[in-house]
Amino acid sequence: LVDFLIKKSTNFDTINDDKEDEITNKETSLKNGLWSSGASKNFGRAIRALLNVRVDQQEQVLDLFENILNNGPCTAKAVVFHDFAYMMRQNAERAFQIFANALNIETNSHVLASSLISANYLINHDFRRLIPGLRKLITLKNLGDDDSRNLFIVLSSAYLHGYDQSEEIVFQLIRENAKSARIAVAEIMKYYYTIDGTTEKCNRLLHHVLEAPTEEDHAEIRWSFNQVEHLKLPDVSLFLKAYIQSRYFKMPEYFLEYLTFQCKNHVELAIELFDLALEKKSLLDGEDERLSTKEQATKIIIGAFNVLQNQANMNKSLNHKLLLSFDKVLMDFRYRVRTEKLLEELL
């Protein structure tokens, strides 16, 4: 069976050179790129089937994959690169060497991008030897959205694990790839506590994301703060203060929901950030967004007020600050009726 699959995996008659050229002239994409094109063909299915051979048959398959990566068509290379991590089960060093060598000499952007799924695992074997290939990926001008996200995940993971030179490289990515910068905050927040003892590194990365992009890049960025309830407010408060005070600050509804959620355990800090946000920007500019944001602003004030009322020693200064914040929210008479209705529902 293995001999049959090897024969099938080197039959490239079904590759359409014109279509391959058409794909490589576009942004990289797993869904519509070289990998998806090759994986659906007979040679691609055979290559993927060979990933599951017995451990004692892997050397034969490694010989084949090395030959494809060095001499095969780009579509076949993309299929081999994509799932290559499965070949690390037996002779991990040889498999890694084949992958690293091929990655470091590859020039086709779509083939390079297809390596990212496996690279996320292989960096744990020897990140340093993958650096030349990863640097080439950073400089690609046609790296698509999903691949830019995957590259950030690879490099930020290396950075959080403390691999040599990883900080410099992930910072380079944020500076040079606006697509990676746009998704960086959400990815960092999602995995903030995944690796123990890395909260300070996460915060350093967050601050670099905030400082690196240009104003033009940030015009397209809205950090929604969706699904960040797991973040402890004291851990990220310095970043939030820097973000609020930056010229890029937006006040999405989820940001206010997050502060409302944090009132229970960190009411003073939540009030401080909310007040800072109100001072910085008078809610969102879009009419559709302003309505929901106004309501959430009222909810945070009420939530914080209720927490303060239940404290043994009520903080009169914070109460006064909340009243001033409420005045700011009510300044827009167009939303006063809805705010009064919301107060009736909550109180």
Side-chain angles (χ1 to χ4, degrees), residues 88-108:
M88 296 286 287
R89 290 174 294 169
Q90 176 66 11
N91 190 343
E93 176 55 30
R94 187 191 172 208
F96 179 87
Q97 189 65 49
I98 291 171
F99 182 92
N101 287 345
L103 182 69
N104 294 340
I105 65 173
E106 183 57 53
T107 58
N108 183 285

Side-chain angles (χ1 to χ4, degrees), residues 13 29 47 144 168 209 290 346:
D13 292 343
S29 168
I47 288 172
E168 170 202 345
V209 172
R290 287 189 65 174
L346 295 175

Side-chain angles (χ1 to χ4, degrees), residues 86-215:
Y86 286 100
M87 301 306 297
M88 296 286 287
R89 290 174 294 169
Q90 176 66 11
N91 190 343
E93 176 55 30
R94 187 191 172 208
F96 179 87
Q97 189 65 49
I98 291 171
F99 182 92
N101 287 345
L103 182 69
N104 294 340
I105 65 173
E106 183 57 53
T107 58
N108 183 285
S109 59
H110 287 254
V111 175
L112 286 166
S114 71
S115 72
L116 285 168
I117 301 299
S118 285
N120 197 33
Y121 297 93
L122 270 70
I123 58 170
N124 299 310
H125 185 82
D126 189 344
F127 175 73
R128 181 183 55 81
R129 282 191 278 167
L130 296 180
I131 288 176
L134 293 171
R135 284 195 186 277
K136 283 191 289 185
L137 279 156
I138 291 174
T139 62
L140 293 181
K141 301 302 182 184
N142 65 331
L143 202 64
D145 290 339
D146 290 340
D147 290 322
S148 294
R149 172 182 279 104
N150 290 335
L151 181 55
F152 176 78
I153 291 171
V154 170
L155 295 181
S156 61
S157 176
Y159 166 64
L160 294 178
H161 280 96
Y163 297 149
D164 189 39
Q165 299 184 57
S166 57
E167 179 176 340
E168 170 202 345
I169 294 172
V170 72
F171 284 6
Q172 178 189 353
L173 173 67
I174 292 169
R175 289 193 304 272
E176 297 185 15
N177 187 322
K179 293 174 184 174
S180 293
R182 289 182 196 125
I183 55 86
V185 172
E187 292 297 325
I188 297 166
M189 288 181 167
K190 189 189 303 181
Y191 301 109
Y192 192 84
Y193 297 113
T194 300
I195 303 174
D196 291 339
T198 59
T199 55
E200 288 304 314
K201 281 190 171 184
C202 287
N203 288 337
R204 179 168 168 77
L205 196 51
L206 284 168
H207 280 281
H208 193 79
V209 172
L210 187 63
E211 294 165 1
T214 64
E215 185 171 3

Side-chain angles (χ1 to χ4, degrees), residues 298-317:
T298 302
K299 289 179 182 179
I300 186 176
I301 293 169
I302 295 170
F305 181 77
N306 287 336
V307 171
L308 291 175
Q309 292 297 308
N310 292 325
Q311 289 181 343
N313 298 312
M314 188 173 62
N315 191 319
K316 294 182 179 180
S317 174

Side-chain angles (χ1 to χ4, degrees), residues 11-25:
N11 182 356
F12 305 127
D13 292 343
T14 56
I15 292 180
N16 185 323
D17 292 337
D18 291 337
K19 184 174 182 180
E20 189 174 278
D21 290 341
E22 180 184 345
I23 290 173
T24 55
N25 287 329

